[in-house]
Amino acid sequence: MTTLTKAEEKIMKILWGIGQGFIKDILEQYPDPKPPYNSVSTIVRVLVQKEIVGYKAYGNSHQYHPLVSKEEYSKGQLSRLVSDYYNNSLKQVVNFFSESKELDEKELNEAIQMLESLKSKKDE
């Protein structure tokens, strides 16, 4: 799965939110200050070339839609992160979060329950 730039991700988040739209629809979702129309159009064309976004032509206008779901992209990015930085080791990921002390007790208990649930499913 291709890794997107921050600008590409911003557009994808908008498209995932609205489902489909023209460049003007994407621009409407941007907070102020909005980027120039041509900049958004260029980034969307790059996303089409990367086969992340598709379109339907209406004369000279194009209505764009995601070809990759947010879940599919997120899963690919998380897998890449775990692979590149944690040697494909869930143990190393858990260790990182436990040592960073950013997990409160409630989150830690929820994570333990999730892992126990996954273990139960594997044992079946």
Side-chain angles (χ1 to χ4, degrees):
M1 169 82 45
T2 302
T3 299
L4 302 177
T5 66
K6 288 189 183 288
E8 291 168 344
E9 274 191 11
K10 187 161 194 134
I11 288 175
M12 287 308 300
K13 286 178 182 178
I14 290 171
L15 276 175
W16 286 321
I18 63 176
Q20 62 185 14
F22 297 92
I23 299 298
K24 69 175 184 64
D25 300 321
I26 296 169
L27 266 170
E28 286 174 4
Q29 300 298 315
Y30 264 90
D32 289 327
K34 296 181 186 308
Y37 181 97
N38 287 342
S39 297
V40 173
S41 179
T42 298
I43 294 167
V44 170
R45 283 195 307 273
V46 169
L47 289 167
V48 168
Q49 289 174 345
K50 290 182 174 184
E51 298 180 350
I52 304 291
V53 168
Y55 65 89
K56 187 183 279 187
Y58 295 96
N60 290 335
S61 296
H62 295 87
Q63 185 179 45
Y64 298 96
H65 58 275
L67 294 175
V68 175
S69 72
K70 184 176 182 179
E71 293 76 21
E72 184 180 353
Y73 180 74
S74 298
K75 183 177 178 180
Q77 292 308 299
L78 185 57
S79 293
R80 184 189 62 77
L81 179 74
V82 171
S83 170
D84 291 354
Y85 294 96
Y86 299 101
N87 300 318
N88 272 333
S89 170
L90 179 59
K91 179 181 172 184
Q92 287 185 20
V93 173
V94 171
N95 187 51
F96 169 78
F97 281 107
S98 66
E99 287 182 355
S100 71
K101 301 191 192 269
E102 292 182 17
L103 291 176
D104 64 24
E105 188 174 342
K106 180 182 176 192
E107 287 177 314
L108 189 56
N109 287 332
E110 289 173 353
I112 290 169
Q113 287 176 343
M114 289 172 64
L115 289 170
E116 287 175 350
S117 175
L118 285 171
K119 185 176 183 281
S120 296
K121 288 178 184 176
K122 294 264 184 189
D123 291 342
E124 291 178 356

